[in-house]
Amino acid sequence: MRKPALVILFAAVCALAQPKVAPEKEAAMKADLVGQIDGMKKQAQVMVDSVFSFGELGFQEFETSKYLSGILEKEGFKIERGIAGIPTAWTATWGSGKPVISLGSDIDDIPQASQKPGVAWHDPMIEGAPGHGEGHNSGVPLNILAALAVKRVMEREHLQGTIQLWPGVAEELVGTKAYYVRAGLFKNVDVCLFSHVANNLTVSWGPSLNQNGLVSVEYLFKGESAHAAGAPWRGRSALDAVELMDVGWNFRREHLRLAQRSHYVITNGGDQPNVVPPDASVWYYFREADYDHIMDMWHIGDNMAKAAALMTDTTYTSRLLGSAWPGHFNKAIAEDMYENIKKVGLPTWTEADQTLAKGLQRELKVPQRGLPTTVMPMRAPRAPQPGEAGDGAGPNVGPTGGGSDDIGDVSWNVPTITLRYPSNIPGGPGHNWADGIAMATPIAHKGVVAGAKVQAMTMLDIILHPELVKNAWDYFNNVQTKDVKYKSFLRPDDKPATWLNTKTMEVYRDRMKQYYYDPSKYDTYLEQLGIKYPTVRAAPASTPGGAQ
């Protein structure tokens, strides 16, 4: 953590090194960024569509990483691959000196989410294959557009600063960002601008009462095989231990805080019914609102596993597969970015865009509101109320929990914000084929371009105004981390779970290659697939009362 005195010194040095820019000149530079990014709309479409077509699961993003890092390498960025011992992780760096601005976004996708883009119902390209049902094909392309535009302005105006880009590998497994932190990726970074797909153009600051951190833990039980009919008494079923642990956890969850979210899958349930399973395993996500409560859940899980092993005369081991801190985002940078959001505004949606959105919403049986046309206001985080800890000390139940993202680990090591940009359709369930429908269509392309403009303008603000970095670190040091200090969930011997998803991609990768986008032959991915945009089911006829 940087000391406040060093931050003040940094701001003073930058103020001397960076040329003073008049407001009129700064406005012209921002207009230039916008013009450049508008001029890269075709490049945005090609990048978004290409990554969508690769459709790679976490830790297996080989085509995606090769493609995106290759683009930056051709643009003069220095590429370092294999970051933190992760084969698909890389950094791309350009420039020199301060400020160091780090741009991140995720690149992995969702199991069994294969889906034809632009078709407003479930229509997989390959049944059972993975697909971008979270929209992670769009964020790094957004950051590349912003970085290239800012780089050109910096070169022309002789501005000092360093731009760093990196991919969020295996975010759906919360599998890497804590390792990035441990490897020192953000040691010299001044500000991190993260981007994540959404359905509006937004940014927020402070902690979130509906976002959790987590640990991802697999329990592996070892028993003894035997003939399940001939001599079952000679066996010790590892599967029995898994099932007893799961039963115990499901009873215990009634007595956990409302903030908790916990889920599991049985990753190994044995080989065949007539053999007592000598090996079995179960994989848990333990989510809670803060470090101590997450560690409590992990401890309870270990006790459950120990008890299940005692009941079945088996043994167990466990391994950490991923982790995430709950995020806390920077006020100074968020407020600056929101001013740029208001300047950029939402894309202009066509009738075809709105038809696709309403067609999907009708299919999902959610309100048919289409795509948003106004930017949401940025609200300050709600102040905690008395008894909000959820410990019975007051009338409030406390945080109510939600999803997780390992950008939280980054946010506790460097001032960080998350730009959410409008490349998806409201109303989807998340982690689902429905959330992939827009992600290689004009909706995604326009959202990426709008987000890139905001990202680039915010980068320029950071470069031209050293006091913005100073204020960001002042909030980080004196507000965010005043009472809460980061402690990684990682133990010294923990390593990234890079073997995950290997078998799944071995099954599907060759079949998926036939669907890789070829921009040399087709203008868009929709054209390559022969999909008319938009493709929707006919709306039901109106009832006499006018309702549909």
Side-chain angles (χ1 to χ4, degrees), residues 197-263:
V197 64
N199 53 58
N200 207 313
L201 199 53
T202 63
V203 68
S204 62
W205 62 272
S208 173
L209 291 177
N210 61 358
Q211 185 191 61
N212 281 338
L214 68 78
V215 288
S216 166
V217 186
E218 187 176 30
Y219 294 91
L220 305 98
F221 291 87
K222 186 75 173 177
E224 184 65 42
S225 65
H227 193 301
W233 53 85
R234 298 182 63 179
R236 297 292 179 266
S237 174
L239 179 58
D240 286 354
V242 163
E243 291 186 296
L244 285 166
M245 178 179 180
D246 294 343
V247 168
W249 187 266
N250 286 327
F251 275 101
R252 182 61 183 267
R253 74 169 76 230
E254 179 186 0
H255 308 288
L256 299 173
R257 299 197 322 161
L258 291 180
Q260 78 87 22
R261 295 288 189 276
S262 50
H263 351 272

Side-chain angles (χ1 to χ4, degrees), residues 77 92-97 99-103 143 146-148 150-151 154 161-165 459 463:
F77 283 74
T93 309
W94 178 87
S96 62
V100 178
I101 304 172
S102 185
L103 308 179
N143 288 342
L148 294 182
V150 172
K151 173 177 177 285
M154 291 175 69
T162 303
I163 302 171
Q164 176 197 70
L165 293 91
M459 292 169 69
I463 292 167

Side-chain angles (χ1 to χ4, degrees), residues 19 25 57-58 107 160 164 210 286 333 335 338 340 364 371 388 402 406 415 429 467 514:
K25 177 70 177 294
L57 291 167
I107 58 172
Q160 179 177 284
Q164 176 197 70
N210 61 358
F286 297 130
I333 303 300
E335 289 177 341
Y338 186 67
N340 291 319
L364 298 175
L371 299 166
E388 193 122 71
D406 51 358
E467 69 275 11
Q514 65 181 304

Side-chain angles (χ1 to χ4, degrees), residues 178-179 182 298 320 322-323 486-494:
Y179 290 100
R182 190 169 77 177
W298 192 356
L320 184 70
S323 66
Y486 177 77
K487 296 174 286 186
S488 178
F489 291 110
L490 301 181
R491 300 159 300 191
D493 294 335
D494 288 326

